Amino acid sequence: MSAAKASLLFLPSAVAATMAAWQVQRMQWKQGIVDEATCNMEQQPVDLLQGTVPEFRRVAVQGVYDHSRAAFVGPRPLSYEPKDPAVKLGMRPMLVTPGALKSGFLLVQPLTSSDK
């Protein structure tokens, strides 16, 4: 077999090995993001109006809902994922899209802070 034919046979294997290594690196990167999000969700909520809030961090704010400016957004797929880390911590289930079970509307209401 000539060297050109041998290199053509080796090329797909090299590409597949490179892609496999990239997928492993990508999986480790994503697992780091998930670990960071889980760690931040387990911490106590911070006051939203005190400045910048780290990513994936729970927040607390006090105020009054402005019902006159409420809006329905939808239709949207609605489902509650029981494997959600928030549910494991005893918090309300969060709205997620994967594996949507039914359609509905989201109610969006502005919150007027009493600290203005």
Side-chain angles (χ1 to χ4, degrees):
M1 180 181 323
S2 70
K5 286 183 181 179
S7 65
L8 285 176
L9 290 175
F10 174 73
L11 185 63
S13 299
V15 169
T18 304
M19 293 297 289
W22 173 73
Q23 286 290 345
V24 169
Q25 291 173 350
R26 185 171 174 254
M27 181 186 66
Q28 291 170 348
W29 168 71
K30 284 189 171 191
Q31 189 61 45
I33 291 174
V34 168
D35 292 342
E36 177 189 355
T38 304
C39 179
N40 281 345
M41 285 178 60
E42 292 172 351
Q43 296 179 10
Q44 290 296 320
V46 294
D47 189 6
L48 181 63
L49 302 176
Q50 294 300 323
T52 59
V53 177
E55 234 177 354
F56 308 113
R57 186 69 185 265
R58 294 186 300 153
V59 296
V61 65
Q62 291 185 356
V64 177
Y65 285 112
D66 184 0
H67 299 291
S68 66
R69 297 189 327 174
F72 285 101
V73 179
R76 305 216 13 142
L78 305 176
S79 75
Y80 291 98
E81 191 69 40
K83 296 180 274 186
D84 192 353
V87 176
K88 293 178 185 175
L89 297 172
M91 294 183 281
R92 290 188 331 215
M94 296 193 318
L95 199 59
V96 293
T97 302
L101 301 175
K102 59 182 181 177
S103 292
F105 290 82
L106 299 178
L107 176 63
V108 179
Q109 291 188 20
L111 182 74
T112 305
S113 172
S114 57
D115 294 338
K116 279 188 175 181

